Amino acid sequence: MLSPARPRKLAKVPFVELADGRVQGVVSSGSDIGRVYVSSVAASTYEFACSTNNNRPCGGARGMFCNHILALLNESTLQYGAERVARYLRVDVPEPTAQAISQTMSATRPSQGDNTAAASVFSQFLRHLAYLEFAASTAPVPELQWFPPTRAVV
């Protein structure tokens, strides 16, 4: 397991992953504390999707990347490193940065995909949140064995 490239602030994008041939995750709404968006961008085709946690379409994702997707891409480069994100999405950029990756993908005029993956992405996010309710313990948690040890629990 690789450590994050740089520390992230989890308030805006609490969940981001490279999985299922996509960069996908959950992005907080800027206007409503009770709303989040499930956003994704597919590798190679750059097909994108963005909807709320209750499957309403994102108003900003009309034929181009919305701010939620741009935030997701930015946070994914902080979490995994720009080179790894560019390689995963199959974006050919000379100097990988979040901005260069998003601009290169946007220039291809990717299509807007359906939101069929949103439910599973949001479910994974909720499952990860459930671990915050665990009491502090030094006993191993089988589901979390892939996380690298970072410090002792007091």
Side-chain angles (χ1 to χ4, degrees), residues 35-120:
R35 181 182 306 142
V36 294
Y37 290 84
V38 180
S39 305
S40 66
V41 178
S44 297
T45 65
Y46 316 136
E47 184 177 80
F48 62 95
C50 188
S51 63
T52 66
N53 52 315
N54 55 2
N55 290 327
R56 292 210 167 101
C58 171
R62 295 185 180 155
M64 61 182 174
F65 292 166
C66 62
N67 289 335
H68 308 113
I69 291 173
L70 296 175
L72 180 74
L73 291 170
N74 186 55
E75 291 299 315
S76 69
T77 61
L78 292 177
Q79 179 71 31
Y80 299 105
E83 295 84 12
R84 184 173 176 195
V85 172
R87 191 172 52 250
Y88 187 82
L89 290 172
R90 297 182 193 111
V91 179
D92 187 24
V93 288
E95 294 284 328
T97 64
Q99 185 176 11
I101 292 168
S102 62
Q103 286 177 343
T104 301
M105 290 189 302
S106 292
T108 67
R109 301 222 181 264
S111 62
Q112 190 166 350
D114 60 21
N115 294 317
T116 55
S120 66

